[in-house]
Amino acid sequence: MWENEHLIDLKNICKEYDGVKVLKDINLYIRKKEFVTLLGPSGCGKTTTLRIIGGFETPTSGELLFEGKEISHVPPYKRRVNTVFQKYALFPHLNVHDNIAFGLKLKKMSKKEIDHKVDAMLDLVNLQGYGKRHVDALSGGQQQRVAIARSLVNEPEVLLLDEPLGALDLKLRKEMQLELKDMQQRLGITFLYVTHDQEEALTMSDTIVVMRDGNILQIGDPKRIYDEPANAFVADFIGESNILKGTMVRDELVEFAGGRFPCVDFGFGENAPVDVVIRPEDIMLVGEDVGQLVGTIRSVLFKGVHYEMMIDCGEYTLKVHSTTMQPQGSRVGLNIVPFNIHIMKPMEV
Amino acid sequence: MIKFLKRFYLGIVLVFLYVPILVLIVQSFNAGKSRAKWEGFSLRWYVELFQDERILNALYVTLSIAVLAMIVSTILGTLAAIGIHAMRKRPQALMMTLTNLPNTMPDIVTGISLMLLFIFTKVDRGYLTMLLAHITFDTPYVILSVLPKLKQMNKHCYEAALDLGATPMYALFHVTIPQCKQGIITGAMLAFTLSLDDFTISYFTTSPLVQNLSTLIYSSARKGIDPSLNALSALMFIALLILLLIVNRRTASAD
């Protein structure tokens, strides 16, 4: 199966530091030319996973396969992967050209060939003519580009990126997201990307791996992860959500917040406790008399594209995004179409 | 008024610090042998200094030991600093205590303990033992000047080098060491200076046959000071002053 598909396989990977389990039985595969993102809050094990693939950590147990061959004890300088580090880790004693040429010099290439490749890379990352600059004289975004060029020039099979855009401002970050995605598609290199920014993950990835506490919670493409989160944690982490405790009355009927709602989920059994997840943009505000739920608007915040309203409905306060504003304190009705009610097994915390 | 007092105070401090040295330098140009009376300007003692074989020999011992001790302790200290830096927190703290301890210990304790060690191990005291002693007290200073540079380094720099295909050895020489070059040079100069002006430890770790300048001055001082030693002291002061200025400028520009 892996022969034509899987480039990297992680099988039952565990990692412990001084008895603390950082990774608990990670199983994951990465296909050629895929853009995979490890997404999760800090401390979830995403960077450790990346460092194991890069060769900077050895798994406590489990197998790491590269094109089917076990490589967990191969040193980093013998792996066909390159890493773009958080905070860049450029060599401050070398200029831009020599930073990018570092890997090529080790391959004993001729000076002419090196210069040619470095120039091509500077073109690729839009830093033409910056070769002689000192790396400390560059802006954060430019340093980031040098770091990417320094890795890509070695033509790795896989590029590992550890929160590479974390230190950039929002606008630059969005630009770089698109550029990186574009680069990945043009060069046809596999990217394994680590981030805690769910929007970044949704924008760039072919596959998202959501992690928490050393476990993988869900693997899927961005749309699936957003629309069908596997549990309340994923739902909450990927975008904003209202997470409510409910009861599945029977197939396709759920009870929460004091009302009964038709939904599309089934197979939970009768009167089973469930988590109900509703995105704030999926709640429609209607007249008080026609709503499935009725609530009082507690607060209204202007967010640019929409208004964010907190609405008290009995024991719950629901977050609602709407493009039309309702005055604070007014009574409104809330409607949710069956398709937008997501039912999940309650998460054991 | 307050401004005046401030300056006056500073002036007094500097006067007390430097007048003795100034007197020494002036005396080194005194034509007569008396230390109380000025008998006219002369370079006589400088000429005598460079004709005195004992002094020249001691100068050679001092300089050669300073250079050798500097080289060896710089290599040892740099490698030790890199090792300590790579350690985990607890052993690192332990190593730092062990490194700092000799620096805070009085020289006389270091000197006597080294002397006892050499006697105990039946090593004849002389040039080699003095060199070993100098390496011993120089190395911690090199460690202490290299370590901060390592701490300033991006901790992923070394990993980045490995990632790009460098062996650990190549990464050490092409990434780690160039980045703490400043600290290594400062450490080396510090080692040189410390070795140059050490008396106490040298005194206990050498034999009367192998003397460096400080032990020679000490032993001749008991017989009455030869004025050519004034000339020598003046020269040493100037040399050390220049070195110190260079070290200070380096540390200032590195920050």
Side-chain angles (χ1 to χ4, degrees), chain A residues 18 51 56 76-77 81-83 85-87 89-93 102-103 106 150-151 154, chain B residues 88 154 156-168 170-171 174-176 178-179:
Chain A
D18 302 325
R51 288 173 59 80
F56 308 112
Y77 48 93
V81 301
N82 281 116
T83 311
F85 290 88
Q86 221 172 351
K87 313 248 172 74
L90 297 176
F91 305 129
H93 60 292
F102 191 90
L106 282 159
R150 184 179 68 174
S151 294
N154 300 296
Chain B
R88 291 200 182 190
N154 182 322
H156 293 308
C157 253
Y158 172 74
E159 288 180 350
L162 296 188
D163 188 72
L164 295 166
T167 58
Y170 187 95
H174 290 83
V175 173
T176 309
Q179 281 190 54

Side-chain angles (χ1 to χ4, degrees), chain B residues 176-212:
Chain B
T176 309
I177 288 180
Q179 281 190 54
C180 34
K181 201 170 73 191
Q182 293 287 339
I184 295 172
I185 294 173
T186 308
M189 288 181 131
L190 204 58
F192 183 77
T193 334
L194 286 168
S195 172
L196 210 57
D197 75 4
D198 172 71
F199 163 70
T200 321
I201 296 171
S202 307
Y203 182 74
F204 285 105
T205 51
T206 186
S207 72
L209 298 174
V210 183
Q211 299 225 299
N212 67 5

